[in-house]
Amino acid sequence: MKPLTLIVRTAGTNCDRETAFAFELAGANVESVHINSLLRDPTQLKRFQILAFPGGFSYGDDIAAGRILANQIVHHLAQPMREFIGAGKPIIGICNGFQVLVKTDLLPGDAAGASGQTATLAHNDNGRFTARWVHLAAPPSRCIWTRGLQQLQLPIAHGEGKFVCADLQRLEWMQNSQQVALIYAKPDGSPAAGQTPDNPNGSAADIAGVCDPSGLVFGLMPHPERFVDSTQHPAWTRQTKAQGEPMGLAIFKNAVSHLR
């Protein structure tokens, strides 16, 4: 039986259909539900096995990117979300969805005994919206979404993608507890070491994606739903099938395989 994925959308969401298509290719069934419907009846979450917060500009990114949707989750859906995770069900936040999850206490999660928001995604160091392909590496981590992956190429499209922790202690805690799931890298797979253009936004420790302590909740700035077919890669005419399946699709397949 195919797992059922919930795609949460709201005003400003614009990557929901691409995300739904990616999950369908990965072997899941998908339903798209507006946040207002969830707020009226949070018990709907029990019907689903995977939860996704796609990219876009939720509520126009007023106040800060993802802040308003994050507040709705914190004040109205915190317990249902924790029950969802407690049942062993995966959650992903992509780009704006990542911004949403870090502005709750779901990512990076309980860091060194802290609660509430312990990280954020700040404006890119270059002060501009950046859209291009980047190299990534997947270090050993708890994350079920990146299992078996080592080096990736995915597109980014964001103006607030600089991952910052509240303090050095929390950053070190994340690294030591294997919650760093993706880092920006050089073409050879080595860490970007904070250098542009390999690190496109100035993220601390080159962080492009993190998971919570359970490994089930995953947030990332790159867009895996935009590389689920080989023809989406800018060099697709020079690629061969021997290079394997599109790297974005592998992320969605990992979540489906985890549930099976």
Side-chain angles (χ1 to χ4, degrees), residues 2 7 10 25 30 38 92 116 120 165 173 175 215 224 227 229 235 255:
K2 293 183 177 181
I7 309 289
T10 189
L25 284 180
V30 180
L38 274 183
I92 189 170
T120 195
C165 275
W173 179 276
Q175 293 172 315
F227 190 23
D229 184 275

Side-chain angles (χ1 to χ4, degrees), residues 79-123:
Q79 187 56 35
M81 293 279 282
R82 295 201 173 278
E83 291 173 359
F84 193 92
I85 300 165
K89 300 177 180 180
I91 299 175
I92 189 170
I94 303 168
C95 197
N96 189 250
F98 186 19
Q99 293 164 338
V100 169
L101 292 179
V102 298
K103 290 180 172 68
T104 68
D105 59 355
L106 293 174
L107 281 179
D110 183 12
S115 61
Q117 184 179 345
T118 59
T120 195
L121 290 152
H123 289 280

Side-chain angles (χ1 to χ4, degrees), residues 7-23 30 32 52-58 92-97 129 155-158 221-226 252:
I7 309 289
V8 178
R9 59 183 177 83
T10 189
T13 300
N14 65 16
C15 298
D16 46 319
R17 293 189 178 184
E18 295 96 325
T19 305
F21 180 64
F23 274 111
V30 180
S32 179
F53 292 91
F57 303 89
S58 59
I92 189 170
I94 303 168
C95 197
N96 189 250
F129 185 92
I156 58 167
H158 59 252
M221 287 309 299
H223 285 267
E225 81 284 6
R226 297 182 184 177
F252 297 99

Side-chain angles (χ1 to χ4, degrees), residues 57-165:
F57 303 89
S58 59
Y59 297 107
D61 281 347
D62 289 346
I63 306 175
R67 169 61 69 189
I68 295 175
L69 183 52
N71 284 353
Q72 289 179 305
I73 293 170
V74 169
H75 295 296
H76 303 288
L77 296 172
Q79 187 56 35
M81 293 279 282
R82 295 201 173 278
E83 291 173 359
F84 193 92
I85 300 165
K89 300 177 180 180
I91 299 175
I92 189 170
I94 303 168
C95 197
N96 189 250
F98 186 19
Q99 293 164 338
V100 169
L101 292 179
V102 298
K103 290 180 172 68
T104 68
D105 59 355
L106 293 174
L107 281 179
D110 183 12
S115 61
Q117 184 179 345
T118 59
T120 195
L121 290 152
H123 289 280
N124 299 347
D125 276 355
N126 62 17
R128 300 190 301 272
F129 185 92
T130 302
R132 62 178 178 82
W133 285 71
V134 295
H135 293 273
L136 301 159
S141 75
R142 301 169 182 259
C143 187
I144 64 102
W145 296 84
T146 58
R147 191 166 293 158
L149 301 179
Q150 294 181 328
Q151 291 181 240
L152 305 85
Q153 279 185 278
L154 293 175
I156 58 167
H158 59 252
E160 296 177 48
K162 179 180 179 178
F163 186 86
V164 182
C165 275

Side-chain angles (χ1 to χ4, degrees), residues 195-246:
Q195 300 298 307
T196 58
D198 298 312
N199 181 329
N201 47 40
S203 285
D206 300 320
I207 291 173
V210 303
C211 68
D212 75 333
S214 74
L216 294 169
V217 185
F218 177 43
L220 71 165
M221 287 309 299
H223 285 267
E225 81 284 6
R226 297 182 184 177
F227 190 23
V228 296
D229 184 275
S230 61
T231 60
Q232 292 174 312
H233 193 281
W236 72 273
T237 57
R238 300 190 297 277
Q239 292 180 332
T240 66
K241 291 184 178 179
Q243 291 176 297
E245 68 181 1

